[in-house]
Amino acid sequence: MKLWNLKRTIPAKKSAFLDVEPIYTFRGHVGAVLCVSMNPTGEQCYSGGVDGTVRVWNVPNSNIDPYDAYDPDVLSLTLSGHTDAVWGLAFHTQKPQLLSCSADGTVKLWSPGSKAPLLQSYAAEPAMGVPSSVDFVHEDCSHMVVAYTSGRCAVYDLETSKVVVQLESNQNVEGGAARDQLNCVVSHPTMPVTVAAHEDRHIRFYDNVTGKVVQAMVAHQDAVTSLAVDPNGLYLLSGSHDCSVRLWNLETKQCVQEITAHRKKSDESIHCVGFHPTKPYIASGGADALAKVFV
């Protein structure tokens, strides 16, 4: 993983873009890093990888010299428990708790600062498939929402591990579930609504109380891979293998901006999108090995 200071920008040659050199490289995973999450204060970040571990990092000072010697204290903790790749992470907005979902079929709840960090492990019935994405339900912090490769999606009670409501996501299961895979799920910050990114180019909005689809829209020309909701709950950001990042007004469900952001590589393009928590920045990461920030 690499850390950049966005205030240290260098104008690139013959280009309107600014090149930013990374100020720190975090080394610890064996194999690819698949997901990252930051705690609300920005003091620690969490990464999950192909090696099945979740690692907790202390974020160095933003004015660190990139040529300083490696500081082993940057790696604060390694959370072991998964037996296969960790695909997704979500950090609680109020409590120091972290969710991870893995190809081993489980979702785990961690308290990274405590002596026994693993609080709970959740395994769904095999028909649900493998969890592909997870998020805390922000409107009710005792619940989490989990998306699966089968196209199913469910809200769970964190304490009892029981399904509270199954979201009606797998309507088009004719001819196999591959096109129906759920790639990303995010919870609305203030309303009982879950937003899901599907392999079949759709973004679907679900009511967490009834489990019904509130709205479904063909949002991209290829699989929708990633979603982010801005901290105020007014805008939705989506990324797709069609090389575009799209910004949506959540009230009208209209696309207000489209950015062709990344090149295709091996039929893949955009893997993640995000909003800055306080500044008017959006960011995307792609298969072309670039991370881009848009102002």
Side-chain angles (χ1 to χ4, degrees):
M1 296 195 319
K2 289 186 185 286
L3 176 72
W4 284 270
N5 181 348
L6 295 181
K7 289 177 181 165
R8 291 193 194 174
T9 55
I10 308 151
K13 293 172 193 160
K14 301 179 190 167
S15 168
F17 300 119
L18 297 172
D19 265 357
V20 193
E21 288 293 323
I23 58 169
Y24 199 82
T25 300
F26 301 85
R27 292 184 173 90
H29 283 282
V30 179
V33 180
L34 300 173
C35 49
V36 292
S37 181
M38 190 75 87
N39 75 349
T41 62
E43 291 165 3
Q44 285 192 317
C45 67
Y46 311 87
S47 61
V50 167
D51 58 9
T53 66
V54 176
R55 293 179 190 248
V56 183
W57 309 87
N58 296 318
V59 177
N61 185 296
S62 59
N63 295 315
I64 190 172
D65 185 333
Y67 302 105
D68 274 355
Y70 182 76
D71 179 4
D73 291 342
V74 169
L75 179 58
S76 161
L77 188 64
T78 299
L79 303 173
S80 302
H82 286 297
T83 56
D84 207 336
V86 178
W87 283 111
L89 294 170
F91 197 83
H92 202 293
T93 47
Q94 280 109 23
K95 283 192 259 182
Q97 291 183 350
L98 181 74
L99 282 170
S100 60
C101 67
S102 164
D104 65 11
T106 67
V107 173
K108 293 188 189 295
L109 177 67
W110 310 86
S111 173
S114 57
K115 280 184 180 168
L118 181 58
L119 299 178
Q120 187 82 286
S121 191
Y122 312 88
E125 58 198 69
M128 296 288 274
V130 174
S132 54
S133 181
V134 65
D135 199 7
F136 285 99
V137 175
H138 300 308
E139 184 259 343
D140 181 351
C141 295
S142 64
H143 293 165
M144 68 172 175
V145 60
V146 186
Y148 294 89
T149 51
S150 62
R152 297 187 183 187
C153 194
V155 175
Y156 290 85
D157 185 299
L158 288 166
E159 203 171 322
T160 65
S161 311
K162 298 272 191 296
V163 174
V164 180
V165 61
Q166 189 144 329
L167 306 181
E168 283 182 4
S169 50
N170 52 340
Q171 300 100 332
N172 52 345
V173 185
E174 312 139 24
R179 294 297 299 162
D180 205 50
Q181 177 171 307
L182 263 157
N183 293 321
C184 183
V185 69
V186 289
S187 174
H188 191 280
T190 55
M191 296 195 294
V193 171
T194 293
V195 191
H198 290 255
E199 192 75 14
D200 65 3
R201 304 176 297 148
H202 281 73
I203 292 175
R204 292 185 174 92
F205 298 83
Y206 300 98
D207 184 315
N208 288 352
V209 180
T210 63
K212 300 239 181 294
V213 178
V214 183
Q215 185 150 356
M217 57 191 191
V218 177
H220 285 271
Q221 294 166 351
D222 204 337
V224 188
T225 58
S226 44
L227 296 171
V229 180
D230 86 287
N232 302 313
L234 302 175
Y235 292 97
L236 174 74
L237 199 58
S238 62
S240 164
H241 287 325
D242 68 6
C243 302
S244 75
V245 171
R246 295 185 180 185
L247 183 67
W248 306 84
N249 179 318
L250 273 177
E251 193 181 353
T252 63
K253 309 290 192 292
Q254 297 292 314
C255 179
V256 292
Q257 194 169 6
E258 180 181 349
I259 305 163
T260 303
H262 294 269
R263 292 180 183 171
K264 271 211 172 185
K265 185 177 178 185
S266 306
D267 279 343
E268 297 193 349
S269 179
I270 292 158
H271 286 150
C272 56
V273 291
F275 281 98
H276 193 285
T278 55
K279 294 192 170 71
Y281 295 166
I282 61 173
S284 60
D288 56 5
L290 292 173
K292 296 191 174 189
V293 178
F294 304 92
V295 182

